[in-house]
Amino acid sequence: MSRSEHLRLHVPEPSGRPGHATDFSYLHLSPAGAVRRPPVNTAAAATADLARSLVRVLDDDDKAIGPWAPQLEADALRRGLRAMMKTRIFDARMLLAQRQKKISFYMQCLGEEAIAIAQAMALEPGDMCFPTYRQQGLLLSRDDIPLVELMCQLMSNEIDPIKGRQLPVMYSYKRAGFFSVSGNLATQFVQAVGWGMASAIKGDTKIASGWIGDGATAEADFHTALTFAHVYRAPVILNVVNNQWAISTFQAIAGGEGTTFAGRGVGCGIASLRVDGNDFLAVYAASRWAAERARKNLGPTLIEWVTYRAGAHSTSDDPSKYRPADDYSRFPLGDPIARLKQHLVAIGAWSDDEHERVEKALEAEIGAAMKEAERHGTLADGRVPSAASMFEDVYKDMPEHLRRQRQQLGV
Amino acid sequence: MSHASDALRKTPMTMIEALRSAMDVMLARDDNVIVYGQDVGYFGGVFRCTEGLQAKYGNSRVFDAPISEGGIVGTAVGMGAYGLRPVVELQFADYMYPAYDQIVSEAARLRYRSVGDFTAPLTIRMPCGGGIYGGQTHSQSPEALFTHVAGLRTVMPSNPYDAKGLLIASIENDDPVIFLEPKRLYNGPFDGHHDKPLVPWSKHPMGEVPEGYYTVPLESAAVYRAGAQVTVLAYGTMVFVSEAAALESSIDAEIIDLRSLWPLDLDTIVASVKKTGRCVVVHEATRTGGFGGELAALVQEHCFYHLETPIERVTGWDTPYPHAQEWAYFPGPARVAAALRRAMEA
């Protein structure tokens, strides 16, 4: 009999660190157009291959190919492109404002714009998203949420719609189908399932869309959400944005090594897809597929969006400390804006000139909005919501003890 | 006879029946009320509080949930945001910890962080307290973990009449309500004398419960027993334990049943302590950091110059709830009576 081996603890490591480049072969990409598109009433177990492969539509020649290529008018594609550009320019301007100390903190979604924006375009009015802090694209894809108002939230100024109570980017917009961002991780994922269950209980037609990052899938709430979504066949899209990094923690530490996050869904009896998150057309097509399943009482769909967090986690983070500084330039799925732009150019629906014109117009629009927002104060100049308002909305009606405490503060 | 007087006709109920009646009334009155939790559907709950409700209202309004307190409360937060009024049951208060993040970080703060854009009008029911040989996992009284949290309401009834009226008021309330049910009182007003036969609710005036809709307001304490010598602040099972202690010690104690722990009815407390000049705080939960400390501090802040003697606390010991030593742990009438006597010295 052989001698017993000494046991070893396995601690996953990314293939790249500062000083040596990442080997992205761990992503196991599929060629564009190669992955089948089953009917929406497919059985969850029959999606096992879709949870391992990668749905892609845009090929290396900027053509939309394969069964997932959506029938989208050029006009809709241009709207999507414009919304992604708007989001990127907005993020860049807010990073600048943070460096100018007009806002305390910011989180950009650089490189991930396609996911929130294409899904927003695939949903219907009345649907409700339960986002994390990196889905500002859900709001910026809309024309009915004023940029000034978003900026006032970011600066926690006198007309911040949530009265300075939350960190920047923790927006709340019921009227835009955007649930209040908690700041706690994963809690919203199971709430999205509950919201979808409520719609089903009421015999309504609205569906929910829950959002989570690769890192937070390790929280119990993720697994709980999958169980409840499956048990009650909740009308919900369960989005896992796998941007490879949770602050400095590589996705393998969240459990992505040698498996996929989409695979978790199949194990729970949920139809699941793994999709190129930097491919606007693939995101739109997969979101439509999932939304149609939900609307037809076919239950939840889990979608893992493979993407890359091109920027820092937040303005408090420096990713060059833990990953190669040029990592994003080697990421094999590219830049979602460049890819959709090239596709539009290839089909004769866009040009470099038009792109530049829109970019300039958006920069001007966002610059003007910032000027207007700053008129209502910034965190730096102290024109913030009143201290007295701090005691409101803890309860629907202010109890006696809070009245007394407000008096003690003398406001 | 009018419809209204029909609804107010009283009938003897246990606390279990009163709670069931409250949910029945609200399920009938409001389509947005739904009831779910572990074992609550077909079976009707391990304590039978939801028996018959699924058959009456259908399985989309009364249903079983997976064994996941975090999932039960987390989905309820989403349902509340949608516009429903979920009434969820956690099988024992001892099992609430996996739901604590959803209660504290989500349900309690949703209105605040969204400036009322979204709210969580949930009622989270959970049986609490010992006296049933439940050991450390079926006996806890975690009320202080809720009263400490801004944005929550914490309620604990002591009898069938209040249980029904408070549960209806909780379901109708737009804030999240933690509804703690002292399980030792489910079938009768237990006074701590575990070696004596249980008196059923049918022999107690508070076991007479209207069949229809009524409320007992939140933030309102009851003077359960009027007295002149010392004020006892109690809730749940300890109301009856304190009553027994007053009778056995022949001390004329005024027993305040808090009913709503937080936000609470401070005026009733202050009026009583100013009258008696003495105060004993009683709860079953562990002592250190317990809600009794907050009550003692409030009495000190508002009644200091009226106090004749130091405020006394009678509580469970600072140990996990033991199984075999249950009655050594439980703050029974003898311990409360001793505190009453100390409060009367000097």
Side-chain angles (χ1 to χ4, degrees), chain A residues 90-108 151 154-155 168-169 312 314-317 370 374 378-380:
Chain A
F90 183 89
D91 277 354
R93 186 66 190 80
M94 294 310 109
L95 286 175
L96 180 66
Q98 192 272 336
R99 283 196 289 272
Q100 294 167 333
K101 303 200 187 312
K102 290 171 183 167
I103 63 180
S104 60
F105 169 85
Y106 194 67
M107 304 184 89
Q108 60 174 331
M151 291 164 172
L154 296 171
M155 293 192 286
V169 313
S314 73
T315 49
S316 307
D317 176 40
M370 190 62 182
E374 285 182 33
T378 72
L379 191 66

Side-chain angles (χ1 to χ4, degrees), chain A residues 128 130 161-163 165-166 170 172-175 177-188 190-202 204-206 221 224 227-228 231-232 389-397 399-401 404-405, chain B residues 31-32 34 36 60-61 63-66 68 70-84 98 101-102 105-119 149-153 174-176 219 262-264 266-267 298 302:
Chain A
M128 184 65 70
F130 287 73
I162 51 172
K163 299 191 178 174
R165 291 177 189 161
Q166 280 274 66
M170 310 288 171
S172 176
Y173 279 100
K174 190 176 191 174
R175 69 180 199 266
F178 189 98
F179 186 73
S180 157
V181 179
S182 169
N184 266 29
L185 297 182
T187 49
Q188 74 284 351
V190 65
Q191 293 162 0
V193 175
W195 197 95
M197 288 169 67
S199 186
I201 287 167
K202 298 301 282 183
D204 211 333
T205 57
K206 298 177 277 193
D221 277 339
T224 303
T227 300
F228 277 69
V231 168
Y232 301 106
S389 72
M390 173 167 76
F391 297 93
E392 293 161 6
D393 304 313
V394 182
Y395 298 87
K396 185 181 181 205
D397 301 309
E400 195 49 41
H401 71 283
R404 269 197 304 274
Q405 289 174 21
Chain B
D31 284 345
N32 287 323
I34 61 157
Y36 65 105
S60 69
R61 294 189 64 205
F63 52 88
D64 286 331
S68 168
I72 290 167
V73 177
T75 50
V77 171
M79 291 182 195
Y82 186 93
L84 301 190
D101 189 29
Q102 287 285 352
S105 311
E106 301 296 318
R109 296 191 207 142
L110 186 55
R111 175 188 297 280
Y112 190 75
R113 76 178 200 227
S114 71
V115 188
D117 204 17
F118 296 95
T119 60
V149 178
L152 291 182
R153 292 181 178 275
D174 290 326
D175 301 318
E219 294 182 58
W262 201 261
L264 92 176
L266 187 61
D267 292 347
L298 283 170
H302 292 272

Side-chain angles (χ1 to χ4, degrees), chain A residues 15 144 164 178 215 229 283 411:
Chain A
S15 62
D144 57 350
F178 189 98
V283 176
V411 292

Side-chain angles (χ1 to χ4, degrees), chain B residues 189-275:
Chain B
F190 178 66
D191 66 3
H193 288 293
H194 56 95
D195 45 355
K196 291 184 185 158
L198 181 75
V199 179
W201 280 115
S202 57
K203 298 243 163 60
H204 195 280
M206 297 306 275
E208 288 286 306
V209 179
E211 289 173 8
Y213 171 92
Y214 69 96
T215 60
V216 170
L218 305 185
E219 294 182 58
S220 155
V223 179
Y224 176 75
R225 179 192 191 277
Q229 290 183 294
V230 52
T231 298
V232 176
L233 303 180
Y235 45 89
T237 311
M238 291 304 128
V239 170
F240 301 104
V241 172
S242 301
E243 184 186 33
L247 292 173
E248 290 157 23
S249 62
S250 300
I251 292 171
D252 186 20
E254 178 149 293
I255 300 170
I256 311 282
D257 178 356
L258 295 182
R259 302 196 294 195
S260 282
L261 273 52
W262 201 261
L264 92 176
D265 176 1
L266 187 61
D267 292 347
T268 298
I269 295 170
V270 170
S272 177
V273 177
K274 284 186 175 172
K275 180 180 79 177

Side-chain angles (χ1 to χ4, degrees), chain B residues 20 49 65 91 96 99 101 107 166 206 225 233 266 270 276 282 291:
Chain B
R20 185 190 306 145
C49 289
Q91 199 158 82
M96 74 85 182
D101 189 29
L166 286 168
M206 297 306 275
R225 179 192 191 277
L233 303 180
L266 187 61
V270 170
T276 63
V282 188
F291 189 57

